[in-house]
Amino acid sequence: MKKISKICCIGAGYVGGPTMAVIASKCPEIKVTVVDVNPERIARWNSDNLDELPVYEPGLKEVVAGARNRNLFFSTDVEQSIREAEMIFISVNTPTKTYGKGKGMAADLKYVELCARQIADVATEDKIIVEKSTLPVRTAQTIRTIMENCGKHINFQILSNPEFLAEGTAIADLQNADRVLIGGDRSTPEGREAIDALASIYEHWLSPDKILRTNLWSSELSKLTANAFLAQRVSSINSISALCEMTEADVDEVAGAIGADSRIGSKFLKASVGFGGSCFQKDILNLVYICKSLGLNDVAEYWQGVIDINNYQKRRFAEKIVTSLFNTVAGKKIAFLGWAFKKDTNDTRETAAMYVADYLLDETANITVYDPKVTQTQMLTDLNYLATREESKNSAMLHSVKDPYEACKDAHAVAILTEWDEFKGYDWQKIYDNMKKPAFVFDGRNIVDAEKLRNIGFKVSQIGK
Ligand code: NAD
Ligand code: UGA
């Protein structure tokens, strides 16, 4: 079997960094180099102060500290790393297109194509190219075509190895993966050898029965499908949360009751202000686009519904704040607890918080945010990205503070946007005492003890209750 001694990973982001750190920690005999075109990101991965790593994940610091500069390296020298590696992971971003054909729907594959062309330019020996990024089904064909036309007599094997980690639990997800999926060309000895070479890396710490082998297209499509199914569960329970609010049913009780059926299962049934994150929306939009391109309009419509319900849920939460505050939030201070798209991450991509903020800023509210891991600069970048109003207006109307009690002081309402554990343990009496009355709490994550807060005097609104 082909033995891998050097790995290159292109893209040092939320996936490339943690994934390679775990591979390096589990495979000390393999040199793993993570490269990126962003020198600031690489400098932060190399920082002596482990609190400055560009990605916050519980357990990541320890894994990086153990392997960095032993067999884990972060570098901006993309070409050198490609040249020396036998296996190259493509872990670059694949955002939704913001221009041209498929704008707002299709995945933008320009970074992936650039990687493929760079590998084709630089390589002088056989390479195994691994798609780690989430890609539309049949992208491997594009990569293969670029390689086959690079005019070199080199054997390139393309594998699909999508990543299933979730942010906030990335290290645990990688160390105890439910499964690893490897798609490749099983019809040739070289294809099978490449699949085995990749499998042998994961077999350093996962049992072989966790490694699933499929053809390339099944692997690529499974990743989009997995995210679509997960997001669909969240939208399903969120749709029911609206019905609960009108019928005195309690969505957490409904979720508990249906989740006890082993055919349904209990995970991903937590009603919320809406799902965020860099991938659910992007991947479903991509799925919808692929279906439409292939004339499967009914299938496209079905999955579009998952996004529509999510947008509805975010809007519904924001509208509830306005109607509860006597139909106006103009000039009122609203405190946000949380900005990240979920707890235990500093990632804010597509966070529900920015859409709720955007809605309230349209109503000319003043927002003060406390999030333990997100900076004010990042919050304003998120809002400015929506391009709803002038940037100067966003920075005049939204501020972030480092103390939750200060965020809530003199506020008319507190809105909980992220389920950070620390919010549950706050001194809510103190928060109440310092707020304007009536003091409202809008719990977009159903994490506070509503009964206790009501006894203090708060007017509490939760999702689906
Ligand atoms: P990211 O934006 O955090 O990181 C991507 C990195 O790639 C950036 O640092 C960027 O500078 C770099 N890059 C882009 N083009 C490059 C090039 N040509 N050469 C070198 N570096 C380049 O993205 P991410 O969250 O890590 O996601 C990467 C992929 O993994 C996406 O396809 C995403 O859908 C998928 N994915 C993400 C997650 C997640 O939790 N974030 C989980 C599973 C899968
Ligand atoms: C998700 C998938 O869970 C990963 O398997 C996948 O690899 C990843 O997308 C990806 O491809 O990027 P992630 O977005 O990091 O991971 O986080 P999730 O835990 O899935 O949460 C996504 C969003 O749904 C969050 O906003 C979360 O708060 C929300 N959510 C999740 C709910 O509102 N309710 C739930 O029950 C679960």
Side-chain angles (χ1 to χ4, degrees), residues 51-63:
D51 288 326
E52 283 180 5
L53 297 184
V55 171
Y56 171 73
E57 279 293 335
L60 175 64
K61 275 200 283 193
E62 292 75 7
V63 176

Side-chain angles (χ1 to χ4, degrees), residues 115-306:
C115 290
R117 289 186 183 280
Q118 196 168 15
I119 298 168
D121 279 350
V122 170
T124 51
E125 288 165 7
D126 293 356
K127 304 281 177 201
I128 298 172
I129 300 171
V130 184
E131 298 174 342
K132 187 49 113 179
S133 299
T134 302
L135 298 168
V137 54
R138 295 202 74 84
T139 304
Q141 187 56 52
T142 307
I143 300 179
R144 188 182 280 159
T145 306
I146 290 172
M147 296 304 159
E148 282 171 358
N149 288 283
C150 74
K152 293 186 181 166
H153 299 289
I154 295 177
N155 179 17
F156 291 105
Q157 283 300 318
I158 321 289
L159 301 178
S160 159
N161 173 223
E163 186 46 60
F164 295 105
L165 68 79
E167 290 180 28
T169 52
I171 299 299
D173 292 343
L174 289 162
Q175 289 174 336
N176 314 299
D178 283 344
R179 80 312 202 177
V180 163
L181 181 55
I182 302 178
D185 179 3
R186 290 171 296 181
S187 67
T188 64
E190 295 82 7
R192 288 193 294 275
E193 192 184 48
I195 295 170
D196 288 344
L198 180 55
S200 75
I201 291 173
Y202 289 107
E203 282 168 11
H204 279 70
W205 74 97
L206 295 171
S207 89
D209 61 341
K210 297 242 170 164
I211 298 168
L212 312 181
R213 293 162 160 85
T214 66
N215 77 29
L216 273 165
W217 324 124
S218 307
S219 174
E220 290 177 332
L221 186 55
S222 296
K223 173 62 197 178
L224 290 184
T225 309
N227 274 356
F229 270 58
L230 290 169
Q232 178 218 47
R233 283 175 70 92
V234 178
S235 275
S236 295
I237 199 70
N238 280 344
S239 73
I240 297 300
S241 76
L243 187 53
C244 288
E245 285 166 30
M246 310 206 77
T247 56
E248 289 184 34
D250 176 324
V251 77
D252 286 333
E253 289 183 353
V254 173
I258 63 167
D261 183 328
S262 60
R263 293 169 304 173
I264 295 175
S266 60
K267 294 183 181 163
F268 265 73
L269 288 180
K270 185 74 188 157
S272 69
V273 53
F275 62 73
S278 61
C279 293
F280 277 181
Q281 175 167 303
K282 156 177 91 69
D283 292 347
I284 296 176
L285 286 173
N286 186 207
L287 190 63
V288 169
Y289 181 75
I290 294 170
C291 292
K292 277 191 181 159
S293 316
L294 297 172
L296 302 173
N297 290 325
D298 297 275
V299 183
E301 238 170 74
Y302 174 77
W303 289 108
Q304 180 63 44
V306 173

Side-chain angles (χ1 to χ4, degrees), residues 394-412:
N394 284 334
S395 41
M397 291 157 73
L398 182 134
H399 298 96
S400 163
V401 291
K402 295 206 163 13
D403 173 37
Y405 297 97
E406 190 190 332
C408 299
K409 191 168 182 316
D410 293 325
H412 289 258

Side-chain angles (χ1 to χ4, degrees), residues 10 13-15 36 41 92-94 134 163 167 282 349:
I10 310 180
Y14 282 86
V15 167
D36 204 293
R41 227 176 201 186
V92 299
N93 37 330
T94 50
T134 302
E163 186 46 60
E167 290 180 28
K282 156 177 91 69
R349 290 177 286 182

